[in-house]
Amino acid sequence: MAPKIRTLEDLPSSLFSGDGARPAAFLRLDLNVPLKAGKITDDTRIRAAIPTLRWLMENNTRIIACSHLGRPKGNGAEPEFSMAPVGERLAELLGKEVLLCPDFLEDGFGRIVSGLREGQIILLENLRFHKEEQAGDRDFARKISQGLDFYVNDAFGTCHRADASMVAVAECFPPEKRAAGLLIRKEMEFLEDAFRAPQAPVTAIFGGSKVSDKIPVLQKFTQLSNNMIIGGAMAYTFLKYLGHDVGKSRVEEDKLGTVGDILKAADARRVKILLPVDHMAAESFDEKAMPVQVDTVGIPPTLMGLDIGPKTARLYADAIATSKVVVWNGPMGVFEWPQFEEGTKSIARAMADCRGTTIVGGGDSAAAITQFGLAGEVSHVSTGGGASMELLEGKELPGIKVLRAGHS
């Protein structure tokens, strides 16, 4: 069993109890929020950072906060990816000034740190304006960590990346001065600890467009779960392997053998695989397509499946209702289109009604349950898409591994 990660409570008390200058922290956050015309359209990730920021502020810490935003090319500033709107929203939520530092390397990082006042927050401009960030460059890491007293990572959504701010900066501090923030601690409790010795039955729900995107996690849950629910376009590859007609539905022909292996592994461990028994279909993949209900497992040759049908929704909801632990990753259909949203909405409702531990594993599932107004009705909604998937697969994430070092 991997050692526990260090958390804020594990930091040396001497950091916060001295008579001299208050400690200065390097705080890596995930503030990669969606923007439209320079305006934030969803501030979920900013809100998720607030508890750790408040903890540090209450402990009189001087804070250097940083994140990436979007996908700049790494060749200097790109105004459309500036952290300025993020800093403004942070200041609103905290009721405290947040100072944006655009040229932190050119200005001299040491001077910035020495000028920090107790409880002050400085937000660095987009880390990915510098190509060294994604390259994991150690010289870059040393420059942006000089003069600071400890390291805190609360950027769960980026923990599967070995970026400089995620690993190399952490390694600039001794292990006892590295810690996970409150968000990462919560993510680990639900995505890792919940599956150490879960109470049965455990149900895993997988959807989305491709089997190929989820092979490792599907294989993992043939060992961890009692039920596996399959929806979305990936279900048609399963159905075709089993000999059913799937019409014009999307099928990954090169993954039929892999699906067979997954089904055999599940059967060997007596894991029940639930697949669609009816469908909502259309003649083409079109936002204005008219939905056609197909009451059988097979789909006519002129149609493609775009959502699970009502019988399938009830079947899946019944399995969820009796589960002690449920994890969901991937929509049941094209939930972005109202005429094909009902299958995904039914899963969201079933998760909300379930009395067990209910975990939404980030990405489109998190977007869907938020869209349907049910995010507050489940045990946990992960902020990390790729990171949550890799953690569920059992992988050691670079940004988590560095927080375990020297900790038992």
Side-chain angles (χ1 to χ4, degrees):
M1 183 182 296
K4 293 279 190 178
I5 58 170
R6 276 190 176 77
T7 62
L8 294 171
E9 290 80 3
D10 295 315
L11 289 166
S13 58
S14 58
L15 278 171
F16 308 101
S17 59
D19 294 329
R22 292 306 184 187
F26 184 101
L27 174 60
R28 180 42 157 110
L29 299 171
D30 181 6
L31 305 175
N32 185 26
V33 294
L35 295 171
K36 186 174 183 179
K39 302 293 184 182
I40 297 167
T41 58
D42 182 355
D43 68 355
T44 300
R45 287 179 172 173
I46 300 176
R47 290 180 177 277
I50 298 300
T52 291
L53 280 161
R54 290 203 184 281
W55 190 97
L56 292 169
M57 291 164 60
E58 289 165 5
N59 283 275
N60 303 315
T61 303
R62 298 174 294 148
I63 302 167
I64 293 280
C66 61
S67 177
H68 71 282
L69 179 63
R71 296 185 178 181
K73 298 178 177 64
N75 297 317
E78 298 179 41
E80 66 269 32
F81 296 120
S82 174
M83 299 296 296
V86 174
E88 292 169 7
R89 185 61 181 140
L90 265 180
E92 290 173 1
L93 292 170
L94 290 168
K96 186 175 182 65
E97 185 180 22
V98 175
L99 303 174
L100 182 68
C101 183
D103 300 314
F104 51 89
L105 293 182
E106 290 80 354
D107 285 347
F109 197 79
R111 183 172 63 79
I112 295 168
V113 173
S114 62
L116 271 174
R117 298 189 304 276
E118 181 179 311
Q120 191 173 42
I121 302 169
I122 287 180
L123 177 64
L124 303 186
E125 186 52 283
N126 195 331
L127 291 174
R128 290 188 182 173
F129 285 171
H130 305 270
K131 63 180 182 298
E132 295 89 349
E133 163 67 0
Q134 287 189 277
D137 188 272
R138 294 188 176 277
D139 287 336
F140 177 74
R142 281 190 286 270
K143 287 177 183 176
I144 63 174
S145 61
Q146 60 181 307
L148 298 175
D149 298 296
F150 63 100
Y151 172 87
V152 178
N153 183 359
D154 213 23
F156 178 72
T158 316
C159 278
H160 58 315
R161 309 291 186 197
D163 293 355
S165 61
M166 303 298 298
V167 177
V169 171
E171 291 175 341
C172 291
F173 298 86
E176 67 273 12
K177 292 185 178 181
R178 309 170 195 167
L182 301 176
L183 174 63
I184 285 186
R185 183 178 71 179
K186 184 180 180 184
E187 294 276 10
M188 296 297 288
E189 286 173 355
F190 280 99
L191 294 175
E192 186 176 65
D193 296 354
F195 295 99
R196 289 187 190 277
Q199 186 178 358
V202 174
T203 295
I205 309 164
F206 298 109
S209 61
K210 295 180 181 179
V211 173
S212 53
D213 289 342
K214 294 186 168 72
I215 291 171
V217 75
L218 286 165
Q219 293 170 332
K220 183 73 174 180
F221 274 86
T222 62
Q223 303 170 37
L224 292 177
S225 64
N226 303 101
N227 307 301
M228 289 174 64
I229 290 173
I230 310 295
M234 62 187 292
Y236 307 122
T237 302
F238 278 80
L239 291 175
K240 182 161 186 180
Y241 173 83
L242 292 171
H244 297 290
D245 295 325
V246 295
K248 296 190 293 185
S249 305
R250 180 173 186 165
V251 171
E252 290 181 275
E253 299 284 350
D254 62 334
K255 295 296 179 288
L256 291 170
T258 302
V259 163
D261 293 339
I262 291 167
L263 290 171
K264 290 170 188 173
D267 184 61
R269 295 180 176 86
R270 297 184 180 179
V271 176
K272 188 175 183 179
I273 302 281
L274 301 179
L275 292 164
V277 295
D278 64 340
H279 315 270
M280 296 304 296
E283 293 183 354
S284 63
F285 188 82
D286 189 306
E287 189 171 358
K288 296 180 180 180
M290 290 295 294
V292 178
Q293 187 167 332
V294 178
D295 291 326
T296 57
V297 176
I299 299 174
T302 58
L303 298 175
M304 61 174 61
L306 295 178
D307 193 14
I308 59 172
K311 288 189 292 186
T312 304
R314 289 193 294 272
L315 175 70
Y316 290 1
D318 288 345
I320 293 166
T322 57
S323 298
K324 299 296 185 183
V325 179
V326 188
V327 60
W328 174 29
N329 188 282
M332 298 294 100
V334 190
F335 74 94
E336 300 89 347
W337 300 346
Q339 69 272 40
F340 299 109
E341 72 175 10
E342 194 55 43
T344 301
K345 186 185 287 186
S346 70
I347 295 295
R349 288 196 194 104
M351 293 282 286
D353 292 341
C354 178
R355 294 185 179 182
T357 299
T358 47
I359 302 165
V360 180
D364 287 339
S365 305
I369 202 163
T370 300
Q371 175 180 311
F372 301 135
L374 295 169
E377 304 299 315
V378 296
S379 304
H380 180 62
V381 179
S382 178
T383 58
S388 62
M389 284 293 291
E390 291 193 17
L391 196 65
L392 289 171
E393 289 166 19
K395 291 183 179 178
E396 180 73 290
L397 310 186
I400 297 297
K401 183 179 180 180
V402 76
L403 301 176
R404 297 195 201 271
H407 193 46
S408 58

